[in-house]
Amino acid sequence: MSFIEEARPPEDWHGDGILCALLDNPSIEQLVLKAKQPVVDISMSRIDIHLPRVVADNRQIGREAAQHLLQHNHEHFAWFCFRTDPVGKSRLAGFEEAIGHSVHNLTSRRSNLRQAVVNKLRKLSRPCAIFAKTDVDAAWILNVCIEEGFRIPDDFAIIGVDNNPLICDFLPAPLSSVNHDLEQLGYQAACLLQRLISGEDAPTEAIMIKPNGVTPRASTDSFAVSDDIVRNALIYMKERLHQAVGVSEIADAIGVSRRTLELHMSEVLDQSVHQKLMDLRLNQAERLLRYTSDTAEHIAAFTGFCHAQHLSKVFKKRFGEPPLRYRKRHRQTSI
């Protein structure tokens, strides 16, 4: 078994199988097409070539990004990538599917890419949430926004994909990112290749590896509402999900009457304070169920429910099934 690098096909190689990311490299393409050994591709770049594949569930990556931004009350959205390819198209499709409509496309083929993107940014309604194909794309546009005097995340909230700490943690505004589960992808690709070497039939469809949630950072750490009372209330609630806070306590903390808070919340979000607080708690509980192994009791305590039975009752009403059944159905499973 050997891993073939994109630009260096091995000479006189004799192995048991090939694990590759088939990109636009003619020499690698010819090697793969002529190979008598089993091949597993971990890329979507050459879907015109029929091969067994283990790839990211890119539509779900787009949905995860959208859900994160929607939970921060964004209403205006945009997309950016340097290169349009099948991966980007799938991620954008999933993003728009979750949003419910098409979004502004900041991608440009002009020679002066930066100026073309800046011109588009200036025309967007703000606050606006930007989903970028990768952390590299997101880092570029985040720096452009800052250089042009836009505020992150108040004018533009930005989210990437890959959760690369060398990028995300060292930007002027640390970058939120969808956790593309590369470790699981590589593991399942190796397992599939081993099965093919052992003589098993290749799967007829690509094996999709789901993302592992979103790692939130400063680039999206803001609620997209212009009303200061509602904004302050949302921030207060988000920071205290694990506490049993009530409407009166929230109102006192931000310096307004309970009635004033309820009126503003109803006018801006069409929800009561209690309804919004419950949304925040349930969204956090749902993320913990999908992406951690925490017990129902721990999740209930961490999200402000008095006990696991209370969480189960409210969760089932919202999501249609009890928490542990939901976890079993949505958690990434071994293939």
Side-chain angles (χ1 to χ4, degrees):
M1 188 182 299
S2 175
F3 184 88
I4 300 173
E5 297 182 10
E6 176 189 352
R8 298 189 331 190
E11 296 180 5
D12 300 322
W13 172 78
H14 301 285
D16 299 315
I18 299 174
L19 181 62
C20 67
L22 189 58
L23 305 174
D24 295 325
N25 185 296
S27 58
I28 295 295
E29 179 181 326
Q30 288 302 310
L31 178 66
V32 167
L33 291 175
K34 294 178 180 179
K36 297 180 180 179
Q37 302 88 352
V39 177
V40 173
D41 185 18
I42 60 172
S43 169
M44 291 291 291
S45 295
R46 295 303 308 274
I47 56 176
D48 56 307
I49 299 176
H50 182 70
L51 288 172
R53 284 188 169 87
V54 178
V55 295
D57 188 340
N58 289 299
R59 293 182 79 95
Q60 185 60 29
I61 284 175
R63 295 187 198 104
E64 295 278 351
Q67 289 163 8
H68 174 74
L69 297 170
L70 287 168
Q71 288 168 8
H72 285 73
N73 296 95
H74 282 282
E75 297 180 348
H76 306 290
F77 302 91
W79 158 262
F80 175 74
C81 67
F82 285 119
R83 178 188 179 196
T84 300
D85 59 12
V87 170
K89 290 178 180 177
S90 292
R91 291 179 182 179
L92 175 58
F95 188 69
E96 292 183 331
E97 178 182 298
I99 298 297
H101 56 78
S102 60
V103 302
H104 295 283
N105 195 332
L106 300 175
T107 303
S108 176
R109 296 182 179 179
R110 298 181 184 179
S111 56
N112 190 345
L113 173 64
R114 188 185 186 284
Q115 189 57 52
V117 170
V118 168
N119 291 342
K120 291 183 178 182
L121 286 170
R122 288 172 177 163
K123 295 177 181 178
L124 294 177
S125 298
R126 300 193 293 271
C128 179
I130 301 173
F131 174 40
K133 175 188 165 187
T134 68
D135 291 339
V136 172
D137 302 78
W140 184 85
I141 200 162
L142 185 148
N143 281 311
V144 168
C145 287
I146 291 175
E147 290 166 3
E148 291 298 315
F150 295 117
R151 299 168 300 164
I152 306 294
D154 297 312
D155 292 324
F156 294 106
I158 301 173
I159 185 169
V161 179
D162 289 335
N163 194 27
N164 184 335
L166 294 178
I167 298 174
C168 297
D169 291 336
F170 295 97
L171 291 167
L175 178 68
S176 296
S177 185
V178 182
N179 297 302
H180 181 187
D181 199 345
L182 293 169
E183 182 177 353
Q184 182 69 205
L185 188 152
Y187 175 78
Q188 295 298 344
C191 287
L192 174 59
L193 184 56
Q194 184 60 59
R195 295 199 298 271
L196 297 179
I197 291 172
S198 299
E200 293 187 21
D201 292 334
T204 57
E205 301 289 338
I207 295 173
M208 298 287 190
I209 303 300
K210 294 184 181 298
N212 195 19
V214 171
T215 296
R217 296 184 180 86
S219 70
T220 61
D221 189 19
S222 178
F223 287 96
V225 292
S226 57
D227 187 296
D228 288 339
I229 290 175
V230 174
R231 180 188 176 89
N232 291 337
L234 291 173
I235 293 171
Y236 185 88
M237 287 188 282
K238 182 182 177 183
E239 292 175 347
R240 291 164 178 80
L241 289 182
H242 62 288
Q243 299 176 6
V245 298
V247 180
S248 295
E249 181 181 341
I250 297 168
D252 290 343
I254 65 173
V256 298
S257 69
R258 175 171 178 158
R259 175 172 172 76
T260 296
L261 175 57
E262 288 284 15
L263 285 173
H264 279 252
M265 191 71 70
S266 178
E267 290 175 0
V268 174
L269 300 182
D270 196 27
Q271 286 182 298
S272 68
V273 178
H274 176 75
Q275 287 171 332
K276 186 60 184 179
L277 178 58
M278 193 60 65
D279 275 354
L280 292 172
R281 285 176 171 168
L282 286 171
N283 288 336
Q284 178 69 354
E286 189 268 347
R287 284 194 292 271
L288 292 172
L289 284 166
R290 290 180 64 183
Y291 304 119
T292 76
S293 298
D294 293 347
T295 64
E297 289 77 13
H298 178 85
I299 293 173
F302 191 77
T303 52
F305 293 95
C306 52
H307 46 66
Q309 291 80 5
H310 184 207
L311 168 62
S312 181
K313 180 180 178 180
V314 178
F315 191 93
K316 183 177 180 180
K317 185 176 180 180
R318 165 79 174 271
F319 292 96
E321 57 188 337
L324 297 184
R325 187 183 301 169
Y326 182 92
R327 164 180 275 172
K328 184 177 181 181
R329 192 162 64 87
H330 287 84
R331 285 287 295 272
Q332 178 74 58
T333 57
S334 297
I335 300 169

